Amino acid sequence: MLYREAGQFKATYAADQQIFPIRQDRIGIQLLLALAFVAVPLFASEYWLKAIMVPFLVFSLAALGLNILTGYAGQLSLGSAAFMAVGAFASYNFMLRIDGMPLLVAFALGGLMAALVGIAFGLPSLRIKGFYLAVATLAAQFFIVWLLTKVGWFSNDSSSGVITAQEMVILGYRFDSPQAKYLLVLSIVAVMALMAKNMVRSSVGRAWMAVRDMDVAAEVIGIRIMYTKLLAFAVSSFYCGVAGALYAFAYLGTVEPEGFNLDLSFKILFMIIIGGVGSISGAFLGSAFIVLLPIFLDVLVQDVFAGLLSPSIASNMQLMVFGGLIIFFLIVEPHGLARLWQIAKEKLRLWPFPH
């Protein structure tokens, strides 16, 4: 009864085309945005905003990009961190070499450069698929990190390849406090998440899902396979590129090419597997699981089991519990945490009646 769409009539074409057609979804999203934009900056400490919430949002955006490519278009990729590196270094160079470059335009151009690189490394998807494609995208991971390290122009001739991001200033306002950085990152992530939500239910999204389910049948009904796959690589890499720019400018401030290594690509892949492949909310749930749960377990072990366990076991308890929870969730619900939310909504349609 709480989540029943019966009786919600669509009187106009615009009402039928809303991103959230059900009233309960619209109210829930408005409450969630109000909580994120108002309550969190007011009550969260600077440490929480800077060290936890900002990376959570950045990784959510990167996972969202990979989910578009893998979850909706069915193309495996292990180069997400490399596309983040392209976005970070491209935004840095646009800000460095072009006087008066607006920050948001630099982020967009950084994402655009990542999209072009993504298209180049997505060309093998026209011939191979599955794990073979994943191995092909692995080349992007190693080649881009090597290129950014060896060619000094990308890091402004820094001997170690390290770059220090410029200050974030928009229309004269300096985003230097944790609250300001959090709100900027949250605004960008919220807008791009809504764009992705709208995109996957459009003809483009339906073409991606048709190619994912059976590319031969999709081609038979008139979908251009080459255009659809490369568009998925471009959009996915754009999202990862913007996430990389935010990772450098809003989170770390100073980054190096080796920071965008294969471990980071696997981390983003685990986020969409645990959160839910082919789900917008799954990117956020998976990012929360990977970023927030280890911190919660660390605090729990230190506060509850500090005197009961030896220091060597207590220091590794968090890793053991975290690994066990990953295996547990994959066994109990292999479709990810987003599927649990779908099951909850289906039960709320009937609650409190049994049938």
Side-chain angles (χ1 to χ4, degrees), residues 115-132:
L116 294 176
V117 175
I119 290 173
F121 283 95
L123 288 174
S125 67
L126 305 178
R127 289 286 185 181
I128 56 179
K129 61 176 70 174
F131 291 111
Y132 297 100

Side-chain angles (χ1 to χ4, degrees), residues 68-69 73-75 118-119 122-130 133 207-208 211-212 215-216 223-236:
I68 288 173
L69 180 65
Q75 309 299 307
I119 290 173
L123 288 174
S125 67
L126 305 178
R127 289 286 185 181
I128 56 179
K129 61 176 70 174
L133 178 60
W208 286 341
V211 171
R212 175 197 62 189
D215 52 356
V216 176
I223 294 175
R224 294 177 293 169
I225 299 298
M226 176 179 175
Y227 171 80
T228 304
K229 287 185 176 181
L230 293 184
L231 181 61
F233 268 97
V235 174
S236 169

Side-chain angles (χ1 to χ4, degrees), residues 24 63 73 93 119 130 136 157 184 190 232 247 254 348-349:
Q24 290 89 336
N93 278 285
I119 290 173
D157 295 322
L184 176 63
Y247 186 73
T254 300
L348 286 174
R349 281 193 172 96

Side-chain angles (χ1 to χ4, degrees), residues 117-202:
V117 175
I119 290 173
F121 283 95
L123 288 174
S125 67
L126 305 178
R127 289 286 185 181
I128 56 179
K129 61 176 70 174
F131 291 111
Y132 297 100
L133 178 60
V135 173
T137 58
L138 196 60
Q141 178 64 54
F142 293 120
F143 176 74
I144 290 173
V145 171
W146 174 84
L147 187 68
L148 294 176
T149 304
K150 295 299 180 182
V151 179
W153 184 86
F154 293 113
S155 57
N156 198 24
D157 295 322
S158 170
S159 58
S160 59
V162 177
I163 60 170
T164 299
Q166 296 87 349
E167 291 184 335
M168 295 194 298
V169 180
I170 298 177
L171 299 176
Y173 181 79
R174 197 176 302 278
F175 290 81
D176 52 0
S177 66
Q179 287 84 359
K181 289 181 179 178
Y182 165 76
L183 287 174
L184 176 63
V185 174
L186 177 62
S187 302
I188 295 173
V189 172
V191 170
M192 295 185 71
L194 289 175
M195 291 171 61
K197 177 76 175 176
N198 196 36
M199 195 185 313
V200 296
R201 69 195 188 107
S202 66

Side-chain angles (χ1 to χ4, degrees), residues 36-170:
F37 276 98
V38 179
V40 172
L42 284 177
F43 298 108
S45 64
E46 290 190 355
Y47 169 77
W48 263 86
L49 292 174
K50 184 177 180 181
I52 297 175
M53 294 308 296
V54 169
F56 159 67
L57 291 171
V58 170
F59 286 128
S60 297
L61 186 61
L64 185 58
L66 182 59
N67 221 341
I68 288 173
L69 180 65
T70 302
Y72 288 99
Q75 309 299 307
L76 285 176
S77 172
L78 291 177
S80 304
F83 301 135
M84 289 178 67
V86 172
F89 278 77
S91 300
Y92 166 78
N93 278 285
F94 279 120
M95 293 289 291
L96 177 70
R97 303 180 192 285
I98 301 177
D99 292 334
M101 169 63 71
L103 181 69
L104 295 179
V105 176
F107 287 173
L109 291 175
L112 190 60
M113 292 297 107
L116 294 176
V117 175
I119 290 173
F121 283 95
L123 288 174
S125 67
L126 305 178
R127 289 286 185 181
I128 56 179
K129 61 176 70 174
F131 291 111
Y132 297 100
L133 178 60
V135 173
T137 58
L138 196 60
Q141 178 64 54
F142 293 120
F143 176 74
I144 290 173
V145 171
W146 174 84
L147 187 68
L148 294 176
T149 304
K150 295 299 180 182
V151 179
W153 184 86
F154 293 113
S155 57
N156 198 24
D157 295 322
S158 170
S159 58
S160 59
V162 177
I163 60 170
T164 299
Q166 296 87 349
E167 291 184 335
M168 295 194 298
V169 180
I170 298 177

Side-chain angles (χ1 to χ4, degrees), residues 269-288:
L269 181 62
F270 293 154
M271 287 178 186
I272 68 167
I273 292 175
I274 294 173
V277 177
S279 167
I280 300 297
S281 60
F284 291 90
L285 294 174
S287 177

Side-chain angles (χ1 to χ4, degrees), residues 282-296:
F284 291 90
L285 294 174
S287 177
F289 189 93
I290 296 293
V291 175
L292 302 182
L293 187 63
I295 299 171
F296 171 75

